Amino acid sequence: QRMICDENNTKSIYIGETSRSAYVRGLQHRRAIYEPTKHQHNAFARHMIDHHPQKTPAFKIDVINSYKSPLERQISEGVQIANMKCDIILNSKFDHYQPAFNRIIFTNQLPGP
C-alpha cells in the first residue's frame, strides 16, 4: 500500500521520540488517524484532516534508533527535525528546534579616530 503523499509526489515526514515501545506508540498513532476528529492534537490526524480528508489513511512508521537516555533521544529528535528534507513537516514542535538566536558575526575592526 502506497502512502498518500507519495501518490501526490509529496514527501511528508514526522520525527517523534518516545519512551514507549514502537508498537504501543504506533497503536496510538493508528487510533488517531482512523478517528482524526477525536485526536486533532496528533500529527498524523492533523495531516489527514488538512491534506487528505476523504482518503483512507496510509502511513509507514520506522524505528530510526534507540537510545539509553531521554536527553540523548530528545537531542537526536531535534537534530533530525532541523535537518529534514521534505515537502511537509508533520511535527508541530518544529519552531522549537530553531536556533535561539541568529548567527552573529564578529569583526576585529576598531572604531575610527
Side-chain angles (χ1 to χ4, degrees):
Q1 188 175 25
R2 288 176 50 111
M3 292 176 14
I4 293 167
C5 287
D6 284 348
E7 292 172 7
N8 298 330
N9 293 322
T10 303
K11 186 175 181 181
S12 300
I13 297 177
Y14 171 82
I15 300 288
E17 59 87 17
T18 183
S19 60
R20 290 168 263 167
S21 72
Y23 178 77
V24 169
R25 190 64 181 125
L27 286 178
Q28 291 172 329
H29 283 304
R30 181 180 171 84
R31 189 176 311 116
I33 64 174
Y34 281 98
E35 298 179 309
T37 55
K38 291 183 181 179
H39 303 276
Q40 294 181 24
H41 62 280
N42 181 280
F44 292 99
R46 275 194 323 275
H47 184 75
M48 289 302 298
I49 291 167
D50 294 344
H51 298 278
H52 313 289
Q54 305 301 319
K55 298 274 187 167
T56 301
F59 289 88
K60 178 183 172 192
I61 298 174
D62 293 316
V63 175
I64 297 172
N65 210 335
S66 60
Y67 302 91
K68 295 182 189 265
S69 75
L71 180 60
E72 185 181 14
R73 186 177 68 235
Q74 292 164 353
I75 290 170
S76 177
E77 178 198 29
V79 169
Q80 289 176 48
I81 291 170
N83 293 326
M84 255 194 278
K85 303 278 189 271
C86 64
D87 300 305
I88 300 172
I89 298 171
L90 275 62
N91 293 75
S92 61
K93 299 181 211 173
F94 183 68
D95 293 336
H96 301 292
Y97 295 102
Q98 298 301 312
F101 54 87
N102 291 330
R103 293 205 180 267
I104 300 172
I105 299 173
F106 292 96
T107 60
N108 201 13
Q109 295 176 345
L110 297 174

